[in-house]
Amino acid sequence: MSQMTIIAHPYAQALFILAKEREEQKFWMKTLASLAEVSKSNEFHDMLNNPKVNSQQVIDVITALLGRDDKDMINLLSMLADNNRLLALPEIYTVFRELVLEDQKRADAVIESAYEMSSTEIEEFEQILSKKFGKTIAVNVKVNPDLIAGIKVTIDDKVIDGSVKGRLENLATQLTK
């Protein structure tokens, strides 16, 4: 776990509790996604490192960029600015999103395939993975010709490697022992 993720965790957890109480998970998912995007830009980093720009000016720029002046969002930004944590926004979004998905018994999976998959195959994998993990799985497919054949599935921190490349790497590891 990275340092920024450790920093982001309490903020994301508090926001999740607030959002769940108020049934505002969708609002906060969108808001945090937007804030994360803004905070990743070079201009944002330059603004934070500029000694002539104070916290309120940073918050004003963000709210102007997003076209919102939601009180709760401004409170979050103020708290993060006061604690020099604005750069943690992408990680706060990531942790918050994980908490929401876990609460809703949903997860995202990335399937790397050596070849293009049909929509029927994707649907079948979604059903199989949903049944195996006991939650609704949304699949994102990426073609990776380096796999040679087969697929590699990543869900959260779990990896299921059924590719020829993965099997060859396992075989090489076993042979060198």
Side-chain angles (χ1 to χ4, degrees), residues 30-43:
K30 288 179 185 175
T31 300
L32 288 172
S34 299
L35 291 170
E37 279 304 307
V38 168
S39 69
K40 289 178 186 176
S41 73
N42 290 333
E43 293 85 1

Side-chain angles (χ1 to χ4, degrees), residues 91-155:
E91 285 78 10
I92 292 171
Y93 166 68
T94 301
V95 173
F96 181 84
R97 187 174 185 284
E98 289 170 1
L99 291 168
V100 169
L101 289 176
E102 188 64 34
D103 184 60
Q104 295 174 351
K105 299 207 181 297
R106 296 182 342 187
D108 293 329
V110 175
I111 295 180
E112 291 180 64
S113 174
Y115 303 99
E116 197 69 41
M117 293 176 67
S118 71
S119 58
T120 306
E121 290 171 322
I122 294 169
E123 287 176 20
E124 287 175 5
F125 271 105
E126 283 178 337
Q127 291 173 0
I128 291 167
L129 293 170
S130 293
K131 187 174 181 181
K132 178 173 176 56
F133 288 94
K135 51 179 118 176
T136 304
I137 305 289
V139 170
N140 180 18
V141 178
K142 295 180 181 178
V143 176
N144 182 355
D146 292 342
L147 296 178
I148 305 170
I151 63 167
K152 181 178 177 181
V153 180
T154 306
I155 300 175

Side-chain angles (χ1 to χ4, degrees), residues 57-119:
Q57 291 170 317
V58 172
I59 293 167
D60 292 343
V61 168
I62 294 170
T63 55
L65 277 171
L66 298 180
R68 298 186 209 154
D69 64 349
D70 178 76
K71 183 181 141 202
D72 289 331
M73 181 186 76
I74 292 170
N75 287 341
L76 171 67
L77 292 172
S78 296
M79 181 175 44
L80 292 173
D82 290 346
N83 294 304
N84 295 318
R85 301 288 194 232
L86 284 169
L87 291 177
L89 280 165
E91 285 78 10
I92 292 171
Y93 166 68
T94 301
V95 173
F96 181 84
R97 187 174 185 284
E98 289 170 1
L99 291 168
V100 169
L101 289 176
E102 188 64 34
D103 184 60
Q104 295 174 351
K105 299 207 181 297
R106 296 182 342 187
D108 293 329
V110 175
I111 295 180
E112 291 180 64
S113 174
Y115 303 99
E116 197 69 41
M117 293 176 67
S118 71
S119 58

